[in-house]
Each structure stands twice: as C-alpha cells, then as structure tokens.
Amino acid sequence: MTYVGQSASAAQQPAAERATVKDVVAAYVGLTKPRVIELLLLTTVPVMFYAARGVPDLGLVVATVVGGTFSAGSASVFNCVYDRDIDEQMRRTRRRALPRHIVSPRAALVFGFVLGILSTVVLYVWVNPLSALLSVTAIAFYVFGYTMILKRRTTQNIVWGGIAGCFPTLIGWTAVTGSLSWIPVVLFMVVFFWTPPHTWALALRYREDYANVDVPMLPVVKPAAEVGRQIVIYSWVMVATSLLLWPVADTSLFYPVAAAVLGGVFLVQAHRMWGRTKGTENLAVIQPMQLFHTSNLYLSLLFVAVAIDPLLAR
C-alpha cells in the first residue's frame, strides 16, 4: 500500500501493492468512524422530535444531520491521526487507514480540518450559531480533552472524555429551539453515565491491546470484578437519570414505562456480567461483549422512545 500523494518513486511499485481508488475512498470514510456517527445521530434526531413536540422541519433535520455528521467525522479523523502510533499496535484498530498507510497523516489532517469547517458552516448558516458553537466545542473537547490529554494519562479518560459524545443531545435541541433548557441537559447526562459501562465493556474485551500500548483504561489497571462493580454503579445512575426526564419534560406515561423496561434489561445484564467476573479474569466466562451490544441497543431504543413520546401525546 502507498500513501495518497506519495512521491513519484512510490508510483514505481507494482500495481498490486498500491491502493485502488475504492481502497482510498473506503479509507477516508473509515477515518470518520461511521458507526460512531450513527450512534451520535441517533441521540440528535429524536431530541429534535421532542423539541418540536412532533415532527420537526425536514430541511432543518437534514442540515443538522449533515452538519453533525461532518462534525463527528472531523473529531474522529483528528483522533485517528493523533493515535496512529497505538492504532498500529492494537488488534481492534490496526486495519484502519493510517496504520495500513493507505492515507498519509498530512492528508488525513487536511481532511479533518475540511470536515470541521464544513460542519461549522452548515450548522451556522442552515441551523443556528448556537448549534455551530456547540459542535465546535464538542470537536475541541474530543480532540484536546480526551484524545490528547486524558486518554493516555488516567483511568478516568472515558468518564470525562465521554462528555464530547453527549453534545449531540444539546445540538439537536438547540437546532429546533435556538436555546438550551433542562430537558436536553438530562439527556446529556444519560449519555454521560451510559458511556463508561459501554466503553469499559469493550475495553475489557480488548484490555490486552490497551495494556500493550500503555493506555490506562480501567480494565487494564483494575481487576475484572472491580470493573464490573463500577459498571453496575454507573448503570444504576444512568437508569435513574433517564427517569428524570419524565417530571422534567412532563412526558406522557409512554416514556417512563419504556425507560424503566429498557433500564431493567440493562441492569440485569450489568449485574450478570459483574457476577461472572467474580473469581475469574477469563473473558470467555465474563463475556463483556454481551453488555456492549446491549448498551448500543439500550441507547438506541431509549432515544426512539424520546422521539415517539411527543407523537403519542399529540
């Protein structure tokens, strides 16, 4: 494989060793971490439904989604550039574009800045200045706060670094209302408390990778039983916070019932995983990915309930 824009000598390599156009396009898309973007948008659009107390303006939704996609993609690209040294050593990330040398760090950096500028322009012009400001803040916090400062220094990296992933709730609300209120703040906190159980379950599965590159994720420095205990604590706080939306936003009964059922399922899974950690560090026994997948489903369905609630109320 060769870097995009590499010197002429690289062009002399056999064609089979050079990246195809399809490879390059896929590499640039991969740098934006599409699966992360999907999850972030899933916490943006439902909030817009609730803010509009019904179906929001389609044009506004499109502009917010496009701007949000560019924003999240920009942050992910910068993360990939900064972390390319450890990504090359980790099983989970070694197939990314930079470790495989399909895209050069300089080209990726330019791509990240372009996406960031586009996201700001789209949100500022077609949504509103407040949403654009929140987007820029989220990018900056993810790049400087999490990636460059917290990730390689503290076990609390994902707790506080996860704040960046909470901003879509605020952006979705301000896109419709032009202002902030306690409703999006509650949803912001739901995502905040959801992030550690979600990420620690994944980090437990890949703890050897993180240990090999000296990233002090909680599962690297603490036994599995302690990780399970903290996951349970955060899970209980997350579920309790999700139920706060009922009195704060004066939802219909649909939302608290849905939140309670989904939260109950999540708590059962969290407690089961914690139980499996006692007396063993064997990942085949602990099965952390079960909780990881449950966490994705939980957040998705919870925010779908947020979108449906105002429609039922009408």
Short mmCIF file of all heavy atoms in Angstrom, two decimals, residues 1-2 10-21 23:
data_model
loop_
_atom_site.label_atom_id
_atom_site.label_comp_id
_atom_site.label_asym_id
_atom_site.label_seq_id
_atom_site.Cartn_x
_atom_site.Cartn_y
_atom_site.Cartn_z
N MET A 1 0.83 -1.18 0.00
CA MET A 1 0.00 0.00 0.00
C MET A 1 0.89 1.26 0.00
O MET A 1 1.96 1.28 0.59
CB MET A 1 -0.90 0.03 1.26
CG MET A 1 -1.87 -1.14 1.33
SD MET A 1 -3.05 -1.09 -0.02
CE MET A 1 -4.05 -2.52 0.36
N THR A 2 0.41 2.32 -0.61
CA THR A 2 1.17 3.56 -0.62
C THR A 2 0.33 4.68 -0.06
O THR A 2 -0.89 4.64 -0.05
CB THR A 2 1.57 3.94 -2.07
OG1 THR A 2 0.39 4.19 -2.80
CG2 THR A 2 2.37 2.84 -2.72
N ALA A 10 7.19 6.00 -5.33
CA ALA A 10 6.19 5.03 -4.89
C ALA A 10 5.37 4.54 -6.06
O ALA A 10 4.87 3.42 -6.07
CB ALA A 10 5.27 5.66 -3.84
N ALA A 11 5.25 5.40 -7.08
CA ALA A 11 4.45 5.03 -8.25
C ALA A 11 5.09 3.89 -9.02
O ALA A 11 4.44 3.25 -9.85
CB ALA A 11 4.25 6.24 -9.15
N GLN A 12 6.38 3.67 -8.75
CA GLN A 12 7.07 2.61 -9.47
C GLN A 12 6.81 1.24 -8.85
O GLN A 12 7.21 0.23 -9.41
CB GLN A 12 8.57 2.90 -9.46
CG GLN A 12 8.92 4.21 -10.15
CD GLN A 12 10.39 4.57 -9.98
OE1 GLN A 12 11.16 3.81 -9.39
NE2 GLN A 12 10.78 5.71 -10.52
N GLN A 13 6.14 1.20 -7.69
CA GLN A 13 5.83 -0.07 -7.07
C GLN A 13 4.83 -0.84 -7.94
O GLN A 13 4.08 -0.24 -8.69
CB GLN A 13 5.25 0.13 -5.68
CG GLN A 13 6.24 0.79 -4.70
CD GLN A 13 5.58 0.99 -3.35
OE1 GLN A 13 4.50 0.48 -3.10
NE2 GLN A 13 6.24 1.73 -2.48
N PRO A 14 4.81 -2.15 -7.82
CA PRO A 14 3.84 -2.94 -8.58
C PRO A 14 2.43 -2.48 -8.28
O PRO A 14 2.11 -2.13 -7.14
CB PRO A 14 4.10 -4.36 -8.08
CG PRO A 14 5.51 -4.35 -7.59
CD PRO A 14 5.73 -2.99 -7.04
N ALA A 15 1.58 -2.52 -9.27
CA ALA A 15 0.20 -2.05 -9.12
C ALA A 15 -0.52 -2.78 -8.02
O ALA A 15 -1.35 -2.22 -7.31
CB ALA A 15 -0.56 -2.19 -10.45
N ALA A 16 -0.20 -4.07 -7.84
CA ALA A 16 -0.91 -4.87 -6.84
C ALA A 16 -0.64 -4.37 -5.43
O ALA A 16 -1.40 -4.62 -4.51
CB ALA A 16 -0.48 -6.34 -6.95
N GLU A 17 0.49 -3.63 -5.25
CA GLU A 17 0.84 -3.15 -3.93
C GLU A 17 0.26 -1.78 -3.64
O GLU A 17 0.35 -1.29 -2.52
CB GLU A 17 2.37 -3.12 -3.77
CG GLU A 17 3.02 -4.49 -3.86
CD GLU A 17 4.51 -4.39 -3.63
OE1 GLU A 17 4.98 -3.31 -3.21
OE2 GLU A 17 5.21 -5.38 -3.89
N ARG A 18 -0.27 -1.11 -4.65
CA ARG A 18 -0.80 0.23 -4.47
C ARG A 18 -2.29 0.17 -4.18
O ARG A 18 -3.01 -0.70 -4.66
CB ARG A 18 -0.54 1.07 -5.73
CG ARG A 18 0.94 1.29 -6.01
CD ARG A 18 1.15 2.48 -6.93
NE ARG A 18 0.49 2.28 -8.22
CZ ARG A 18 1.08 1.74 -9.28
NH1 ARG A 18 2.33 1.31 -9.19
NH2 ARG A 18 0.43 1.60 -10.42
N ALA A 19 -2.76 1.16 -3.41
CA ALA A 19 -4.17 1.23 -3.05
C ALA A 19 -5.00 1.62 -4.27
O ALA A 19 -4.62 2.51 -5.03
CB ALA A 19 -4.37 2.24 -1.94
N THR A 20 -6.13 0.98 -4.46
CA THR A 20 -7.05 1.34 -5.54
C THR A 20 -7.88 2.54 -5.09
O THR A 20 -7.88 2.92 -3.91
CB THR A 20 -7.98 0.17 -5.86
OG1 THR A 20 -8.81 -0.09 -4.71
CG2 THR A 20 -7.18 -1.09 -6.19
N VAL A 21 -8.60 3.12 -6.04
CA VAL A 21 -9.48 4.25 -5.72
C VAL A 21 -10.52 3.83 -4.69
O VAL A 21 -10.83 4.57 -3.74
CB VAL A 21 -10.18 4.77 -7.00
CG1 VAL A 21 -11.22 5.83 -6.63
CG2 VAL A 21 -9.16 5.34 -7.97
N ASP A 23 -10.16 1.54 -2.43
CA ASP A 23 -9.47 1.44 -1.14
C ASP A 23 -9.34 2.80 -0.48
O ASP A 23 -9.56 2.94 0.72
CB ASP A 23 -8.07 0.83 -1.32
CG ASP A 23 -8.10 -0.63 -1.71
OD1 ASP A 23 -9.09 -1.32 -1.37
OD2 ASP A 23 -7.14 -1.09 -2.36
#
